[in-house]
Every structure is written in C-alpha cells, then in structure tokens.
mmCIF file of all heavy atoms in Angstrom:
data_model
loop_
_atom_site.group_PDB
_atom_site.id
_atom_site.type_symbol
_atom_site.label_atom_id
_atom_site.label_comp_id
_atom_site.label_asym_id
_atom_site.label_seq_id
_atom_site.Cartn_x
_atom_site.Cartn_y
_atom_site.Cartn_z
ATOM 1 N N THR A 417 -0.089 22.910 -13.740
ATOM 2 C CA THR A 417 0.568 21.861 -14.509
ATOM 3 C C THR A 417 -0.478 20.899 -15.050
ATOM 4 O O THR A 417 -1.526 20.680 -14.448
ATOM 5 C CB THR A 417 1.570 21.072 -13.653
ATOM 6 O OG1 THR A 417 0.875 20.501 -12.557
ATOM 7 C CG2 THR A 417 2.674 21.971 -13.143
ATOM 8 N N ARG A 418 -0.184 20.325 -16.187
ATOM 9 C CA ARG A 418 -1.093 19.360 -16.793
ATOM 10 C C ARG A 418 -0.726 17.955 -16.340
ATOM 11 O O ARG A 418 0.450 17.657 -16.122
ATOM 12 C CB ARG A 418 -1.009 19.434 -18.306
ATOM 13 C CG ARG A 418 -1.614 20.703 -18.843
ATOM 14 C CD ARG A 418 -1.672 20.616 -20.348
ATOM 15 N NE ARG A 418 -2.366 21.769 -20.869
ATOM 16 C CZ ARG A 418 -3.552 21.703 -21.437
ATOM 17 N NH1 ARG A 418 -4.157 20.564 -21.580
ATOM 18 N NH2 ARG A 418 -4.131 22.785 -21.877
ATOM 19 N N PRO A 419 -1.716 17.084 -16.227
ATOM 20 C CA PRO A 419 -1.417 15.687 -15.890
ATOM 21 C C PRO A 419 -0.566 15.047 -16.979
ATOM 22 O O PRO A 419 -0.676 15.391 -18.157
ATOM 23 C CB PRO A 419 -2.787 15.026 -15.817
ATOM 24 C CG PRO A 419 -3.771 16.136 -15.727
ATOM 25 C CD PRO A 419 -3.141 17.339 -16.335
ATOM 26 N N ALA A 420 0.283 14.106 -16.574
ATOM 27 C CA ALA A 420 1.168 13.439 -17.528
ATOM 28 C C ALA A 420 0.381 12.552 -18.492
ATOM 29 O O ALA A 420 0.763 12.396 -19.652
ATOM 30 C CB ALA A 420 2.205 12.614 -16.783
ATOM 31 N N LEU A 421 -0.715 11.974 -18.020
ATOM 32 C CA LEU A 421 -1.519 11.079 -18.845
ATOM 33 C C LEU A 421 -2.857 11.724 -19.171
ATOM 34 O O LEU A 421 -3.357 12.565 -18.431
ATOM 35 C CB LEU A 421 -1.770 9.759 -18.104
ATOM 36 C CG LEU A 421 -0.541 8.967 -17.692
ATOM 37 C CD1 LEU A 421 -0.951 7.785 -16.831
ATOM 38 C CD2 LEU A 421 0.231 8.502 -18.899
ATOM 39 N N SER A 422 -3.466 11.295 -20.266
ATOM 40 C CA SER A 422 -4.780 11.814 -20.638
ATOM 41 C C SER A 422 -5.836 11.252 -19.686
ATOM 42 O O SER A 422 -5.595 10.296 -18.949
ATOM 43 C CB SER A 422 -5.126 11.424 -22.079
ATOM 44 O OG SER A 422 -5.361 10.040 -22.162
ATOM 45 N N LEU A 423 -7.019 11.830 -19.733
ATOM 46 C CA LEU A 423 -8.111 11.367 -18.880
ATOM 47 C C LEU A 423 -8.421 9.907 -19.153
ATOM 48 O O LEU A 423 -8.587 9.106 -18.229
ATOM 49 C CB LEU A 423 -9.361 12.218 -19.108
ATOM 50 C CG LEU A 423 -10.625 11.763 -18.392
ATOM 51 C CD1 LEU A 423 -10.429 11.839 -16.887
ATOM 52 C CD2 LEU A 423 -11.807 12.585 -18.818
ATOM 53 N N GLN A 424 -8.469 9.538 -20.414
ATOM 54 C CA GLN A 424 -8.784 8.157 -20.778
ATOM 55 C C GLN A 424 -7.720 7.197 -20.245
ATOM 56 O O GLN A 424 -8.051 6.141 -19.704
ATOM 57 C CB GLN A 424 -8.899 8.034 -22.293
ATOM 58 C CG GLN A 424 -9.438 6.713 -22.746
ATOM 59 C CD GLN A 424 -9.737 6.712 -24.236
ATOM 60 O OE1 GLN A 424 -9.493 7.691 -24.927
ATOM 61 N NE2 GLN A 424 -10.257 5.625 -24.719
ATOM 62 N N GLU A 425 -6.461 7.577 -20.351
ATOM 63 C CA GLU A 425 -5.378 6.722 -19.843
ATOM 64 C C GLU A 425 -5.436 6.601 -18.318
ATOM 65 O O GLU A 425 -5.227 5.513 -17.774
ATOM 66 C CB GLU A 425 -4.024 7.277 -20.267
ATOM 67 C CG GLU A 425 -3.768 7.176 -21.752
ATOM 68 C CD GLU A 425 -2.531 7.940 -22.186
ATOM 69 O OE1 GLU A 425 -2.169 8.945 -21.537
ATOM 70 O OE2 GLU A 425 -1.928 7.521 -23.189
ATOM 71 N N ARG A 426 -5.734 7.704 -17.640
ATOM 72 C CA ARG A 426 -5.838 7.657 -16.175
ATOM 73 C C ARG A 426 -7.008 6.798 -15.725
ATOM 74 O O ARG A 426 -6.891 6.030 -14.762
ATOM 75 C CB ARG A 426 -5.977 9.069 -15.603
ATOM 76 C CG ARG A 426 -4.671 9.848 -15.653
ATOM 77 C CD ARG A 426 -4.819 11.230 -15.077
ATOM 78 N NE ARG A 426 -5.497 12.045 -16.072
ATOM 79 C CZ ARG A 426 -6.244 13.112 -15.808
ATOM 80 N NH1 ARG A 426 -6.436 13.498 -14.579
ATOM 81 N NH2 ARG A 426 -6.803 13.792 -16.780
ATOM 82 N N LEU A 427 -8.148 6.908 -16.417
ATOM 83 C CA LEU A 427 -9.304 6.089 -16.055
ATOM 84 C C LEU A 427 -9.044 4.613 -16.332
ATOM 85 O O LEU A 427 -9.431 3.750 -15.539
ATOM 86 C CB LEU A 427 -10.544 6.558 -16.799
ATOM 87 C CG LEU A 427 -11.149 7.886 -16.316
ATOM 88 C CD1 LEU A 427 -12.221 8.355 -17.272
ATOM 89 C CD2 LEU A 427 -11.688 7.755 -14.918
ATOM 90 N N ASN A 428 -8.383 4.311 -17.444
ATOM 91 C CA ASN A 428 -8.050 2.916 -17.746
ATOM 92 C C ASN A 428 -7.113 2.336 -16.701
ATOM 93 O O ASN A 428 -7.274 1.193 -16.270
ATOM 94 C CB ASN A 428 -7.439 2.793 -19.144
ATOM 95 C CG ASN A 428 -8.470 2.908 -20.235
ATOM 96 O OD1 ASN A 428 -9.632 2.575 -20.043
ATOM 97 N ND2 ASN A 428 -8.050 3.381 -21.389
ATOM 98 N N LYS A 429 -6.126 3.119 -16.269
ATOM 99 C CA LYS A 429 -5.200 2.654 -15.233
ATOM 100 C C LYS A 429 -5.945 2.409 -13.919
ATOM 101 O O LYS A 429 -5.724 1.419 -13.233
ATOM 102 C CB LYS A 429 -4.067 3.644 -15.026
ATOM 103 C CG LYS A 429 -3.045 3.184 -14.001
ATOM 104 C CD LYS A 429 -1.885 4.123 -13.926
ATOM 105 C CE LYS A 429 -0.850 3.762 -12.912
ATOM 106 N NZ LYS A 429 -1.079 2.699 -11.997
ATOM 107 N N PHE A 430 -6.867 3.327 -13.596
ATOM 108 C CA PHE A 430 -7.654 3.154 -12.376
ATOM 109 C C PHE A 430 -8.464 1.869 -12.430
ATOM 110 O O PHE A 430 -8.512 1.117 -11.454
ATOM 111 C CB PHE A 430 -8.583 4.351 -12.161
ATOM 112 C CG PHE A 430 -9.596 4.105 -11.081
ATOM 113 C CD1 PHE A 430 -9.233 4.158 -9.756
ATOM 114 C CD2 PHE A 430 -10.909 3.785 -11.397
ATOM 115 C CE1 PHE A 430 -10.160 3.899 -8.757
ATOM 116 C CE2 PHE A 430 -11.839 3.520 -10.410
ATOM 117 C CZ PHE A 430 -11.464 3.581 -9.085
ATOM 118 N N THR A 431 -9.106 1.602 -13.576
ATOM 119 C CA THR A 431 -9.939 0.398 -13.663
ATOM 120 C C THR A 431 -9.099 -0.867 -13.544
ATOM 121 O O THR A 431 -9.517 -1.819 -12.883
ATOM 122 C CB THR A 431 -10.753 0.364 -14.974
ATOM 123 O OG1 THR A 431 -9.871 0.430 -16.088
ATOM 124 C CG2 THR A 431 -11.744 1.503 -15.030
ATOM 125 N N GLU A 432 -7.923 -0.871 -14.154
ATOM 126 C CA GLU A 432 -7.036 -2.039 -14.033
ATOM 127 C C GLU A 432 -6.617 -2.263 -12.587
ATOM 128 O O GLU A 432 -6.668 -3.386 -12.074
ATOM 129 C CB GLU A 432 -5.799 -1.863 -14.907
ATOM 130 C CG GLU A 432 -6.069 -1.930 -16.388
ATOM 131 C CD GLU A 432 -4.861 -1.540 -17.210
ATOM 132 O OE1 GLU A 432 -3.768 -1.328 -16.637
ATOM 133 O OE2 GLU A 432 -4.998 -1.441 -18.440
ATOM 134 N N ASP A 433 -6.192 -1.183 -11.920
ATOM 135 C CA ASP A 433 -5.738 -1.292 -10.531
ATOM 136 C C ASP A 433 -6.881 -1.687 -9.596
ATOM 137 O O ASP A 433 -6.708 -2.500 -8.690
ATOM 138 C CB ASP A 433 -5.132 0.036 -10.068
ATOM 139 C CG ASP A 433 -3.849 0.386 -10.813
ATOM 140 O OD1 ASP A 433 -3.277 -0.514 -11.467
ATOM 141 O OD2 ASP A 433 -3.436 1.565 -10.751
ATOM 142 N N ALA A 434 -8.061 -1.113 -9.829
ATOM 143 C CA ALA A 434 -9.201 -1.398 -8.960
ATOM 144 C C ALA A 434 -9.688 -2.835 -9.144
ATOM 145 O O ALA A 434 -10.060 -3.498 -8.172
ATOM 146 C CB ALA A 434 -10.334 -0.412 -9.230
ATOM 147 N N ARG A 435 -9.693 -3.326 -10.378
ATOM 148 C CA ARG A 435 -10.084 -4.724 -10.605
ATOM 149 C C ARG A 435 -9.108 -5.680 -9.911
ATOM 150 O O ARG A 435 -9.524 -6.681 -9.326
ATOM 151 C CB ARG A 435 -10.126 -5.032 -12.087
ATOM 152 C CG ARG A 435 -11.377 -4.571 -12.746
ATOM 153 C CD ARG A 435 -11.515 -5.199 -14.120
ATOM 154 N NE ARG A 435 -12.557 -4.566 -14.892
ATOM 155 C CZ ARG A 435 -13.846 -4.804 -14.743
ATOM 156 N NH1 ARG A 435 -14.253 -5.648 -13.840
ATOM 157 N NH2 ARG A 435 -14.740 -4.190 -15.484
ATOM 158 N N ALA A 436 -7.818 -5.361 -9.972
ATOM 159 C CA ALA A 436 -6.820 -6.207 -9.310
ATOM 160 C C ALA A 436 -7.022 -6.182 -7.796
ATOM 161 O O ALA A 436 -6.914 -7.213 -7.126
ATOM 162 C CB ALA A 436 -5.416 -5.737 -9.669
ATOM 163 N N ALA A 437 -7.339 -5.015 -7.258
ATOM 164 C CA ALA A 437 -7.576 -4.907 -5.818
ATOM 165 C C ALA A 437 -8.859 -5.641 -5.421
ATOM 166 O O ALA A 437 -8.922 -6.247 -4.346
ATOM 167 C CB ALA A 437 -7.666 -3.445 -5.413
ATOM 168 N N ALA A 438 -9.868 -5.604 -6.271
ATOM 169 C CA ALA A 438 -11.145 -6.260 -5.970
ATOM 170 C C ALA A 438 -10.988 -7.777 -5.952
ATOM 171 O O ALA A 438 -11.706 -8.465 -5.219
ATOM 172 C CB ALA A 438 -12.210 -5.842 -6.975
ATOM 173 N N LYS A 439 -10.073 -8.306 -6.754
ATOM 174 C CA LYS A 439 -9.856 -9.754 -6.757
ATOM 175 C C LYS A 439 -9.367 -10.248 -5.395
ATOM 176 O O LYS A 439 -9.658 -11.371 -5.003
ATOM 177 C CB LYS A 439 -8.818 -10.137 -7.818
ATOM 178 C CG LYS A 439 -9.364 -10.217 -9.196
ATOM 179 C CD LYS A 439 -8.309 -10.743 -10.155
ATOM 180 C CE LYS A 439 -8.899 -10.926 -11.523
ATOM 181 N NZ LYS A 439 -7.925 -11.469 -12.475
ATOM 182 N N ASP A 440 -8.609 -9.403 -4.705
ATOM 183 C CA ASP A 440 -8.050 -9.786 -3.410
ATOM 184 C C ASP A 440 -9.043 -9.640 -2.260
ATOM 185 O O ASP A 440 -8.805 -10.167 -1.169
ATOM 186 C CB ASP A 440 -6.802 -8.955 -3.108
ATOM 187 C CG ASP A 440 -5.684 -9.212 -4.112
ATOM 188 O OD1 ASP A 440 -5.673 -10.304 -4.717
ATOM 189 O OD2 ASP A 440 -4.829 -8.322 -4.289
ATOM 190 N N LEU A 441 -10.132 -8.907 -2.499
ATOM 191 C CA LEU A 441 -11.112 -8.681 -1.435
ATOM 192 C C LEU A 441 -12.133 -9.814 -1.386
ATOM 193 O O LEU A 441 -12.511 -10.362 -2.420
ATOM 194 C CB LEU A 441 -11.846 -7.357 -1.671
ATOM 195 C CG LEU A 441 -11.044 -6.083 -1.507
ATOM 196 C CD1 LEU A 441 -11.896 -4.886 -1.906
ATOM 197 C CD2 LEU A 441 -10.557 -5.920 -0.085
ATOM 198 N N PRO A 442 -12.594 -10.146 -0.185
ATOM 199 C CA PRO A 442 -13.685 -11.129 -0.091
ATOM 200 C C PRO A 442 -14.990 -10.475 -0.544
ATOM 201 O O PRO A 442 -15.120 -9.255 -0.564
ATOM 202 C CB PRO A 442 -13.727 -11.465 1.404
ATOM 203 C CG PRO A 442 -13.166 -10.255 2.078
ATOM 204 C CD PRO A 442 -12.142 -9.690 1.127
ATOM 205 N N ALA A 443 -15.941 -11.309 -0.926
ATOM 206 C CA ALA A 443 -17.238 -10.785 -1.348
ATOM 207 C C ALA A 443 -17.858 -9.980 -0.204
ATOM 208 O O ALA A 443 -17.804 -10.390 0.942
ATOM 209 C CB ALA A 443 -18.163 -11.923 -1.744
ATOM 210 N N GLY A 444 -18.378 -8.826 -0.548
ATOM 211 C CA GLY A 444 -18.984 -7.986 0.486
ATOM 212 C C GLY A 444 -19.192 -6.575 -0.028
ATOM 213 O O GLY A 444 -19.024 -6.280 -1.215
ATOM 214 N N ALA A 445 -19.543 -5.702 0.882
ATOM 215 C CA ALA A 445 -19.893 -4.329 0.526
ATOM 216 C C ALA A 445 -18.693 -3.560 -0.026
ATOM 217 O O ALA A 445 -18.833 -2.781 -0.984
ATOM 218 C CB ALA A 445 -20.449 -3.602 1.741
ATOM 219 N N GLU A 446 -17.524 -3.767 0.548
ATOM 220 C CA GLU A 446 -16.345 -3.030 0.092
ATOM 221 C C GLU A 446 -15.977 -3.417 -1.348
ATOM 222 O O GLU A 446 -15.692 -2.561 -2.184
ATOM 223 C CB GLU A 446 -15.165 -3.302 1.018
ATOM 224 C CG GLU A 446 -13.941 -2.465 0.731
ATOM 225 C CD GLU A 446 -12.819 -2.715 1.718
ATOM 226 O OE1 GLU A 446 -13.011 -3.457 2.692
ATOM 227 O OE2 GLU A 446 -11.737 -2.155 1.480
ATOM 228 N N ARG A 447 -16.018 -4.707 -1.642
ATOM 229 C CA ARG A 447 -15.714 -5.178 -2.988
ATOM 230 C C ARG A 447 -16.767 -4.684 -3.978
ATOM 231 O O ARG A 447 -16.455 -4.252 -5.085
ATOM 232 C CB ARG A 447 -15.657 -6.700 -3.002
ATOM 233 C CG ARG A 447 -15.318 -7.256 -4.363
ATOM 234 C CD ARG A 447 -15.189 -8.748 -4.312
ATOM 235 N NE ARG A 447 -14.762 -9.252 -5.596
ATOM 236 C CZ ARG A 447 -15.056 -10.450 -6.053
ATOM 237 N NH1 ARG A 447 -15.747 -11.284 -5.307
ATOM 238 N NH2 ARG A 447 -14.636 -10.831 -7.220
ATOM 239 N N HIS A 448 -18.032 -4.739 -3.567
ATOM 240 C CA HIS A 448 -19.116 -4.272 -4.425
ATOM 241 C C HIS A 448 -18.941 -2.783 -4.749
ATOM 242 O O HIS A 448 -19.130 -2.365 -5.901
ATOM 243 C CB HIS A 448 -20.464 -4.522 -3.757
ATOM 244 C CG HIS A 448 -21.619 -4.030 -4.551
ATOM 245 N ND1 HIS A 448 -22.058 -4.652 -5.705
ATOM 246 C CD2 HIS A 448 -22.430 -2.954 -4.374
ATOM 247 C CE1 HIS A 448 -23.084 -3.984 -6.192
ATOM 248 N NE2 HIS A 448 -23.324 -2.945 -5.397
ATOM 249 N N ALA A 449 -18.588 -1.978 -3.757
ATOM 250 C CA ALA A 449 -18.398 -0.550 -3.968
ATOM 251 C C ALA A 449 -17.227 -0.287 -4.920
ATOM 252 O O ALA A 449 -17.302 0.595 -5.789
ATOM 253 C CB ALA A 449 -18.163 0.155 -2.636
ATOM 254 N N LEU A 450 -16.164 -1.050 -4.780
ATOM 255 C CA LEU A 450 -15.004 -0.890 -5.656
ATOM 256 C C LEU A 450 -15.356 -1.264 -7.096
ATOM 257 O O LEU A 450 -14.989 -0.561 -8.041
ATOM 258 C CB LEU A 450 -13.840 -1.735 -5.146
ATOM 259 C CG LEU A 450 -12.497 -1.547 -5.827
ATOM 260 C CD1 LEU A 450 -12.045 -0.094 -5.762
ATOM 261 C CD2 LEU A 450 -11.455 -2.441 -5.185
ATOM 262 N N LEU A 451 -16.088 -2.354 -7.272
ATOM 263 C CA LEU A 451 -16.492 -2.752 -8.615
ATOM 264 C C LEU A 451 -17.481 -1.753 -9.229
ATOM 265 O O LEU A 451 -17.494 -1.552 -10.444
ATOM 266 C CB LEU A 451 -17.083 -4.163 -8.601
ATOM 267 C CG LEU A 451 -16.064 -5.267 -8.329
ATOM 268 C CD1 LEU A 451 -16.770 -6.607 -8.189
ATOM 269 C CD2 LEU A 451 -15.002 -5.318 -9.404
ATOM 270 N N GLN A 452 -18.287 -1.102 -8.400
ATOM 271 C CA GLN A 452 -19.199 -0.067 -8.895
ATOM 272 C C GLN A 452 -18.389 1.126 -9.404
ATOM 273 O O GLN A 452 -18.707 1.711 -10.441
ATOM 274 C CB GLN A 452 -20.171 0.381 -7.801
ATOM 275 C CG GLN A 452 -21.163 1.421 -8.263
ATOM 276 C CD GLN A 452 -22.069 0.934 -9.371
ATOM 277 O OE1 GLN A 452 -22.578 -0.183 -9.308
ATOM 278 N NE2 GLN A 452 -22.252 1.732 -10.395
ATOM 279 N N LYS A 453 -17.312 1.487 -8.709
ATOM 280 C CA LYS A 453 -16.441 2.569 -9.164
ATOM 281 C C LYS A 453 -15.787 2.208 -10.495
ATOM 282 O O LYS A 453 -15.602 3.068 -11.360
ATOM 283 C CB LYS A 453 -15.377 2.878 -8.120
ATOM 284 C CG LYS A 453 -15.906 3.580 -6.907
ATOM 285 C CD LYS A 453 -14.806 3.877 -5.920
ATOM 286 C CE LYS A 453 -15.351 4.530 -4.674
ATOM 287 N NZ LYS A 453 -14.282 4.862 -3.710
ATOM 288 N N VAL A 454 -15.443 0.935 -10.656
ATOM 289 C CA VAL A 454 -14.860 0.478 -11.920
ATOM 290 C C VAL A 454 -15.871 0.647 -13.044
ATOM 291 O O VAL A 454 -15.538 1.161 -14.119
ATOM 292 C CB VAL A 454 -14.392 -0.988 -11.815
ATOM 293 C CG1 VAL A 454 -14.068 -1.561 -13.181
ATOM 294 C CG2 VAL A 454 -13.198 -1.112 -10.887
ATOM 295 N N ARG A 455 -17.117 0.244 -12.812
ATOM 296 C CA ARG A 455 -18.146 0.395 -13.842
ATOM 297 C C ARG A 455 -18.381 1.868 -14.178
ATOM 298 O O ARG A 455 -18.559 2.239 -15.350
ATOM 299 C CB ARG A 455 -19.442 -0.272 -13.400
ATOM 300 C CG ARG A 455 -19.365 -1.791 -13.442
ATOM 301 C CD ARG A 455 -20.710 -2.434 -13.206
ATOM 302 N NE ARG A 455 -21.201 -2.264 -11.848
ATOM 303 C CZ ARG A 455 -20.878 -3.069 -10.822
ATOM 304 N NH1 ARG A 455 -20.076 -4.093 -11.019
ATOM 305 N NH2 ARG A 455 -21.372 -2.852 -9.614
#
C-alpha cells in the first residue's frame, strides 16, 4: 500500500510535531537531539 501523504507532506508534519514537542522539553540533550532531527 502507498502512504496517504507524500514524502514532503510527511516530513513537514514531522517537523511541526517535533518542534511543538521540543518547546515542552527543558534544555538538554533530549531537546537538542529532537531539534537535530527537525533540521
């Protein structure tokens, strides 16, 4: 089966969700790693 969304749409959704999750995290290694995945 094919994904419902295109690769670009899935990556954009991931970056939005990950940025929102990173805002809730305190500064540290976990937040840094999440922001690196966003980049």
Side-chain angles (χ1 to χ4, degrees):
T417 59
R418 289 188 175 249
L421 301 173
S422 70
L423 174 63
Q424 190 171 3
E425 291 170 331
R426 286 180 283 153
L427 287 170
N428 284 332
K429 182 175 178 352
F430 169 76
T431 58
E432 291 171 6
D433 294 345
R435 279 194 192 281
K439 280 186 175 182
D440 297 335
L441 291 175
E446 187 177 354
R447 181 176 184 208
H448 178 73
L450 188 57
L451 290 174
Q452 182 62 44
K453 288 181 182 182
V454 168
R455 287 189 291 275

